[in-house]
Amino acid sequence: MDKSLNTAGSNGQAADRILTDVASELASDMAPVKGAASSPAGAASAAVQTPSTLLDATPQQAGTQTLLRGLAILEAAAAGVRDLRTFGAALGTTRSTTHRLVSSLVQARYLRQVQGGYLLGPKLIELGAVSLEQMPLSTVARPHLERLAEATRDTIHLGVREGGDVLYIDKISGTRGLEMRSRVGHRMPLAWTGIGKALMLDLSPSAWEALWDAARRNPDHADLVPTPYTRDTFLDKMTSYATAGHTFDLEENEPSIRCVAAPVRDASGLIVAALSVASTIPYMPTERMHELVSVIQREARAISEELGWRAPQPTTRRIKR
C-alpha cells in the first residue's frame, strides 16, 4: 500500500495527460448523441441502469464531456457493466469512442482488463484508501472501534447516512469465527438496520414512516428478509429508541444477526454517524444486548466528544429569596 501511495503523484500526472490527449482527440466526435434511444445501442442502454446523472447535464466542452463520460464508465463498471458494447449503450457513444475512453482508463489503472471484460482498477483502491484516511470521522473513530472490538469480540461497524441508506465506512470483524455480509462501502436501508435506525433517532415520526416505506418499496433490497413487525410497531419502537438513545436490530437485516447501535454527534449536536456491535443470536441474547447498551454508548460519546460535541448541561433552577 505504501509503495502504491508513493507513486500516486506520478500516476495522477499520467492520468491528467491521458485525459487531455483523449479530450483533444475526441473533440471532433464527442458531440452529445441525440436520439440514442431509437438506435440499437439506445435500446440496449434502456436495460442498463446508469448509476449517475453525470451525462444528463447540459452540453459541455469537449474536455469536460470526455471527463464526465470517463467517470460514467467507472460508475457503470461499478454497477456491473463489463463489455464495450454495453458501456457504449449506456453512454450513447460509438464503439471507437468507447474503446478509446476505456483504453485510456485501463492505461491509467482506473480499469483493468480481465477475461470476459473490464473491472474497476487498482488506482481506485488507492484513492479510496486515501479518501478514508482524509475523513476525520474514520480517523477519530478507529481507536474506539478497536477498543469496542477487543471488549466484545463481536463485529463492529461504523456508518454514515447516504440518503435513505446507511453507508458502512469501517468494519472490524469479530473473533468468534463468524462473518456477515456487511463490508466497507456496502449500503443498506436505514429502517432495516440497527445502525441505520441510530442515524434516524433525531428525525420526526413522519420521516421515520417515509424511510420505512421507501425501504419496503426499494427493488434493490427485494432479497431482504421481511421485517417481523408492522409500520405501527416500527414507529412505536423508534419512539422508544429515541428516548433511550440507542437502537436494536432484531434480525431485520440478516437472519440470525442481532446488533446494538448508538449515534455519534458532531460539535453542532447533529447525528453524523453511528456505530454498532453485531453478532449471532447465541452470542447476542436479549440480556446481553441490554448489557451492551452502556458499553456502545460510552464509545459513541467518546467519538462525539472528539468531534467537538459536549453533553447538554443540566439547567439549575434559581430559588427566589
Side-chain angles (χ1 to χ4, degrees), residues 174-205:
T175 58
R176 303 184 191 275
L178 308 169
E179 190 53 59
M180 302 171 193
R181 65 181 175 183
S182 59
R183 64 184 186 279
V184 174
H186 189 56
R187 295 170 180 264
M188 292 298 296
L190 287 170
W192 248 245
T193 62
I195 194 170
K197 286 181 284 189
L199 291 164
M200 296 167 58
L201 287 180
D202 285 353
L203 301 180
S204 66

Side-chain angles (χ1 to χ4, degrees), residues 111-305:
L111 288 178
R112 58 191 174 96
Q113 189 170 11
V114 298
Q115 185 175 4
Y118 298 87
L119 300 173
L120 295 178
K123 183 67 175 178
L124 294 173
I125 299 175
E126 298 171 13
L127 294 178
V130 174
S131 176
L132 282 175
E133 291 173 1
Q134 292 177 346
M135 180 182 290
L137 174 61
S138 298
T139 304
V140 168
R142 186 68 186 191
H144 300 280
L145 303 185
E146 292 173 348
R147 183 158 50 244
L148 200 54
E150 183 178 358
T152 65
R153 297 183 59 206
D154 298 315
T155 298
I156 311 300
H157 296 109
L158 178 69
V160 297
R161 180 178 178 181
E162 286 279 332
D165 294 336
V166 54
L167 171 67
Y168 294 98
I169 62 173
D170 204 350
K171 174 184 178 180
I172 300 177
S173 295
T175 58
R176 303 184 191 275
L178 308 169
E179 190 53 59
M180 302 171 193
R181 65 181 175 183
S182 59
R183 64 184 186 279
V184 174
H186 189 56
R187 295 170 180 264
M188 292 298 296
L190 287 170
W192 248 245
T193 62
I195 194 170
K197 286 181 284 189
L199 291 164
M200 296 167 58
L201 287 180
D202 285 353
L203 301 180
S204 66
S206 61
W208 295 340
E209 185 173 0
L211 288 167
W212 160 273
D213 291 338
R216 292 177 65 84
R217 291 195 305 266
N218 193 332
D220 293 337
H221 305 300
D223 59 331
L224 293 180
V225 176
T227 56
Y229 42 74
T230 64
R231 180 194 292 111
D232 290 340
T233 305
F234 171 77
L235 295 176
D236 289 341
K237 285 181 174 293
M238 286 301 300
T239 300
S240 299
Y241 291 150
T243 301
H246 71 269
T247 60
F248 290 158
D249 179 344
L250 301 172
E251 302 180 72
E252 297 119 275
N253 177 29
E254 193 170 351
S256 301
I257 301 297
R258 290 179 170 181
C259 89
V260 183
V264 172
R265 300 178 183 274
D266 65 7
S268 69
L270 297 176
I271 295 176
V272 294
L275 64 157
S276 68
V277 179
S279 192
T280 57
I281 291 178
Y283 299 106
M284 196 67 77
T286 302
E287 297 79 10
R288 183 167 184 256
M289 293 182 75
H290 287 285
E291 292 172 357
L292 285 172
V293 168
S294 61
V295 177
I296 193 168
Q297 284 182 329
R298 182 178 62 242
E299 297 302 333
R301 281 195 299 268
I303 298 171
S304 299
E305 289 172 354

Side-chain angles (χ1 to χ4, degrees), residues 7-21 104 107-110 123:
T7 60
S10 59
N11 287 334
Q13 293 173 358
D16 291 341
R17 288 196 298 273
I18 290 167
L19 286 173
T20 301
D21 293 344
S104 296
Q107 184 178 350
R109 300 171 59 242
Y110 288 97
K123 183 67 175 178

